[in-house]
Amino acid sequence: MAKEQFFLAASSEVVDLLDRAGDKAGVSRGQAFEDFLTFLRCELAGKTMEEEYLQTVAKGYAVGVQGKRGIDLMVQAGGRLIGEMVNTDDDLLGDIFTGAITYGEKGQFFTPERVCDLMASLSVPTDPTDDIKTVCDPACGSGRMLLQVAKYQPHWEFTGQDSDHRCAQMAVINMGLRGLRGWAVWQNSLTLQVHRVYRIGLFFNETARGVVREVPVEQSPFNYPAIAQSPKTSTDERMVDREREVNRGEEPDVQKPPDSDDGPAAQLDLF
């Protein structure tokens, strides 16, 4: 097994609680961590994700004497995590993920928080502003780049996208616990394939409160049916077609992005 490596002291304490909870439920550390993220996300959803919460508990976390069950250890881990985040504002989830879960699997080494802070301070106004901008990170990991921007402009809207559902959930939790507003999306930002969409903000109604809601993909701003379902042509096929056009003395058919009435299509503001 790879050696654990943490940058934050509290990470090992949370991992120990997750290991004990996993042992009680008979699941691996990786599965226990994923279930931990589900528990936290469901708690932030204000009773709108109860079915998913109960299904996760039913994996074996409710077995045993009350107070010593896996779910009780998960609650302790959540309390330790949130307490540390309140005191330090550190990205504890990201530290645990790379230091004890993936060990850099698939190149998932997150940008150090100090580097994220430097990038944010060079990219956004460090003094509060009245304008509201949208900030997007299409490979957000635990969302720490967005969190650093939020230290300077907490009233902006933040969008984090990642092809790993664990990362999307970490972004949900990190942004939700800090009172930010925006989106966390489980999607492949290159193919535009979207799996789940989470809206983050403050939600109040007669039956439930919370800071997270899941939005059906087709009802979200991340529904791309015209693009995602269009026929795909391989790179080799495009190169052959281009070569034929050149050999015939024709101008290659290079498709340009459509311009709006106000000029070329605008890019996202950051990252």
Side-chain angles (χ1 to χ4, degrees), residues 256-260 263-265:
K256 299 180 180 179
D259 290 348
S260 67

Short mmCIF file of all heavy atoms in Angstrom, two decimals, residues 256-260 263-265:
data_model
loop_
_atom_site.label_atom_id
_atom_site.label_comp_id
_atom_site.label_asym_id
_atom_site.label_seq_id
_atom_site.Cartn_x
_atom_site.Cartn_y
_atom_site.Cartn_z
N LYS A 256 -15.89 28.32 -38.15
CA LYS A 256 -15.60 29.30 -37.12
C LYS A 256 -16.76 29.38 -36.14
O LYS A 256 -17.92 29.16 -36.52
CB LYS A 256 -15.37 30.67 -37.75
CG LYS A 256 -14.20 30.70 -38.72
CD LYS A 256 -14.03 32.07 -39.31
CE LYS A 256 -12.85 32.11 -40.29
NZ LYS A 256 -12.69 33.44 -40.89
N PRO A 257 -16.47 29.70 -34.86
CA PRO A 257 -17.57 29.85 -33.90
C PRO A 257 -18.45 31.01 -34.29
O PRO A 257 -17.96 32.04 -34.79
CB PRO A 257 -16.85 30.13 -32.58
CG PRO A 257 -15.49 30.62 -32.97
CD PRO A 257 -15.17 29.94 -34.25
N PRO A 258 -19.77 30.87 -34.11
CA PRO A 258 -20.68 31.95 -34.51
C PRO A 258 -20.45 33.18 -33.65
O PRO A 258 -20.15 33.10 -32.47
CB PRO A 258 -22.06 31.34 -34.26
CG PRO A 258 -21.83 30.28 -33.23
CD PRO A 258 -20.47 29.74 -33.50
N ASP A 259 -20.61 34.36 -34.27
CA ASP A 259 -20.52 35.61 -33.54
C ASP A 259 -21.92 36.05 -33.16
O ASP A 259 -22.89 35.86 -33.90
CB ASP A 259 -19.87 36.71 -34.40
CG ASP A 259 -18.39 36.43 -34.62
OD1 ASP A 259 -17.87 35.54 -33.92
OD2 ASP A 259 -17.79 37.09 -35.49
N SER A 260 -22.03 36.67 -32.00
CA SER A 260 -23.31 37.21 -31.58
C SER A 260 -23.48 38.60 -32.18
O SER A 260 -22.58 39.14 -32.82
CB SER A 260 -23.36 37.30 -30.05
OG SER A 260 -22.43 38.26 -29.58
N GLY A 263 -20.76 40.94 -31.08
CA GLY A 263 -19.37 40.60 -31.34
C GLY A 263 -19.12 39.13 -31.11
O GLY A 263 -20.06 38.34 -30.94
N PRO A 264 -17.85 38.71 -31.11
CA PRO A 264 -17.52 37.30 -30.93
C PRO A 264 -18.03 36.76 -29.61
O PRO A 264 -18.19 37.50 -28.64
CB PRO A 264 -15.98 37.30 -30.99
CG PRO A 264 -15.63 38.57 -31.70
CD PRO A 264 -16.69 39.55 -31.33
N ALA A 265 -18.26 35.45 -29.58
CA ALA A 265 -18.72 34.80 -28.35
C ALA A 265 -17.72 35.05 -27.24
O ALA A 265 -16.52 34.97 -27.42
CB ALA A 265 -18.91 33.31 -28.58
#
